[in-house]
Amino acid sequence: GQNIDQPTEMTATEGAIVQINCTYQTSGFNGLFWYQQHAGEAPTFLSYNVLDGLEEKGRFSSFLSRSKGYSYLLLKELQMKDSASYLCAVRDRGYSTLTFGKGTMLLVSP
Amino acid sequence: NAGVMQNPRHLVRRRGQEARLRCSPMKGHSHVYWYRQLPEEGLKFMVYLQKENIIDESGMPKERFSAEFPKEGPSILRIQQVVRGDSAAYFCASSPPRGTGNMNTEAFFGQGTRLTVV
């Protein structure tokens, strides 16, 4: 079966660093994605990992360990606008169909 | 270059009516995916289509739901005889043909259609 777990919600302070974890058990693996979704809006792409290691992209970084079925999204220098839901998704087939976790609601406070 | 366009943004239907949700993919994209997002739930895959073909409908309920992506025009997700449990946000995503585009940003999402069944 397909199972993707991530915390339901997290809180952090403006300017801080936060790490959002994601664990997965899927029948196949062809890449792990992180999306950001503001309330009432479309999910927007943040990062993609297919090989083990860290991918850095500005204030956002994503890490993958395929042997552990584990990923995290690291957000640095948090801003108020980073308050959103962060979705972990696995591409478990050859095309772009994604299996999503339930999302982690991040609240950034002043 | 317009993104993925979905309409309507909001749709209200009475129980038993039909709902039609439309999705126009990004220019140059030939693959369309429909997802459903229930309150407090993650996005759930429903169906994957290419022009005039259903590639994977393993996430579609067996009854009342259908999808198409004709040669001309948008992709349509059709829900017949809607029930309260169909109330959700329905998102469409598109991606370019295989072998083109950027593998790590394949799926671009539309703004979604929020269906409310009363």
Side-chain angles (χ1 to χ4, degrees), chain B residues 15-54:
Chain B
R15 280 179 295 170
Q17 290 184 319
E18 178 180 286
R20 279 183 179 243
L21 289 63
R22 286 176 289 278
C23 170
S24 296
M26 286 181 69
K27 187 176 180 180
H29 286 192
S30 56
H31 299 204
V32 166
Y33 313 81
W34 285 93
Y35 291 83
R36 177 165 63 175
Q37 188 172 39
L38 292 164
E40 311 302 323
E41 294 288 328
L43 285 154
K44 301 289 188 190
F45 166 74
M46 299 181 75
V47 62
Y48 162 41
L49 309 106
Q50 295 178 22
K51 285 284 188 182
E52 300 185 279
N53 283 306
I54 296 175

Side-chain angles (χ1 to χ4, degrees), chain B residues 85-102:
Chain B
D86 297 333
S87 295
Y90 292 82
F91 288 93
C92 169
S94 73
S95 65
R98 301 252 196 117
T100 64
N102 189 344

Side-chain angles (χ1 to χ4, degrees), chain B residues 51-114:
Chain B
K51 285 284 188 182
E52 300 185 279
N53 283 306
I54 296 175
I55 307 302
D56 182 348
E57 56 181 349
S58 59
M60 286 273 274
K62 293 290 184 280
E63 297 177 353
R64 303 188 297 108
F65 284 72
S66 62
E68 63 177 9
F69 189 16
K71 187 176 181 181
E72 301 291 336
S75 174
I76 305 286
L77 179 68
R78 182 182 177 207
I79 311 172
Q80 295 178 288
Q81 299 173 347
V82 296
V83 300
R84 288 237 170 93
D86 297 333
S87 295
Y90 292 82
F91 288 93
C92 169
S94 73
S95 65
R98 301 252 196 117
T100 64
N102 189 344
M103 280 291 289
N104 68 347
T105 56
E106 274 195 347
F108 296 84
F109 282 82
Q111 298 279 4
T113 294
R114 276 141 191 89

